[in-house]
Amino acid sequence: MKPSIILYKALPDDLLQRLQDHFNVTRVENLKPETVQQHAEVFASAQGLLGSSETVDSALLEKMPALRATSTISVGYDNFDVDALNARKILLMHTPTVLTETVADTMMALVLSSARRVVEVAERVKAGEWKSGIGADWFGIDVHHKTMGIIGMGRIGLALAQRAHFGFGMPILYNARRHHAEAEERFQARYCDLDTLLKESDFVCLVLPLTEETHHLIGKKQFELMKKSAIFINAGRGPVVDEAALIEALQSGEIHAAGLDVFEKEPVAVDSPLLSLPNVVALPHIGSATHETRYNMAACAVDNLIDALNGKVEKNCVNPQILR
Ligand code: DGY
């Protein structure tokens, strides 16, 4: 008999078929307690779980005594209680490679649109304000040859550095847990401590996962260290930044502008000051959201679950050590 799994995200037809070839699939809309209650028997017998953007905590795991593997359609897994998974020896699979280039593109889009005020001036054109030659109140600031500071030199940081260095002639500073030989060789990236990076960068680009260590890593003190002309970009996770401090820094002119794909709470509240500040470009967490990449992430997650339930965890596994 095929193992049972719960799917909590829509999949393209061909990927759903691939999943159904291997498993008995029950599709649910979400992992909320009422949904779990409604499908209690299926949750109780499911060996696999596949989807994204829902919380997987110990309360849910209690309802899933047969669970052996979870597969998230994302690189980030801060919505999973990894300790609780480890304690139960449940594998956690994710999609770390397929979205790298797309997220780096999104970050570059944030860099360009915040520096050149693309969204703001395009709205002014649509509002009929372009009536004669434009003056300095339409100008932005240059991107090319400015210094980019990257906090978090993982795969995405590297892909961003490549774009900035080769495409825009930007010197690269970076801060990470360790030196990154490839970044230093290919892009002459200079490793520096966080304070130095904040002081010297024209663009401060954050691409860190959310962990206990990174929570509110960037707050009032860090914004004060940045140049008044600095543009702050966040495409990692919202809670890495103290959002109240960010708002204060933008309102007081402590920093020049921000380009944000992620927020402390998502969706961001409609009355958040971030949405009324002209010097903010706010995106709805679209880092990896292209048709091609979201398909590739879903395909990767399907293969990951098939692999995990067959005990194959050579790649894309967050906690392979639990099998040892
Ligand atoms: C991820 O995969 O974690 C990204 O945030 C999605 O864009």
Side-chain angles (χ1 to χ4, degrees), residues 73-77 95 99 103 235-237 261-262 285-289 294 297:
I73 311 171
S74 64
V75 61
Y77 50 85
T95 63
L99 45 64
V103 179
R237 282 294 182 265
D261 189 39
V262 290
H285 202 148
I286 59 159
S288 63
R294 284 292 169 90
M297 289 166 70

Side-chain angles (χ1 to χ4, degrees), residues 109-118 231 233 256-259 279 281:
L110 283 171
V111 166
L112 289 164
S113 53
S114 12
R116 301 299 305 273
R117 302 168 59 196
V118 172
I231 294 185
I233 306 294
H256 180 66
N279 52 345
V281 175

Side-chain angles (χ1 to χ4, degrees), residues 52-157:
S52 73
S53 315
E54 295 275 327
T55 301
V56 176
D57 56 13
S58 53
L60 173 69
L61 296 181
E62 266 175 34
K63 307 283 181 198
M64 305 192 72
L67 191 63
R68 293 197 290 126
T70 57
S71 179
T72 179
I73 311 171
S74 64
V75 61
Y77 50 85
D78 45 279
N79 49 331
F80 284 77
D81 183 337
V82 179
D83 289 339
L85 292 175
N86 290 346
R88 284 262 313 273
K89 295 203 179 305
I90 298 167
L91 291 166
L92 171 56
M93 312 296 286
H94 68 149
T95 63
T97 48
V98 285
L99 45 64
T100 303
E101 301 295 333
T102 301
V103 179
D105 285 351
T106 304
M107 293 192 79
M108 215 55 224
L110 283 171
V111 166
L112 289 164
S113 53
S114 12
R116 301 299 305 273
R117 302 168 59 196
V118 172
V119 179
E120 187 193 343
V121 298
E123 287 303 324
R124 286 174 69 181
V125 173
K126 285 189 183 169
E129 286 182 41
W130 185 25
K131 297 213 171 81
S132 58
I134 61 158
D137 61 324
W138 295 69
F139 296 174
I141 57 171
D142 276 334
V143 172
H144 65 89
H145 299 98
K146 295 281 180 69
T147 298
M148 178 180 280
I150 301 178
I151 307 174
M153 190 52 87
R155 294 180 187 83
I156 298 169

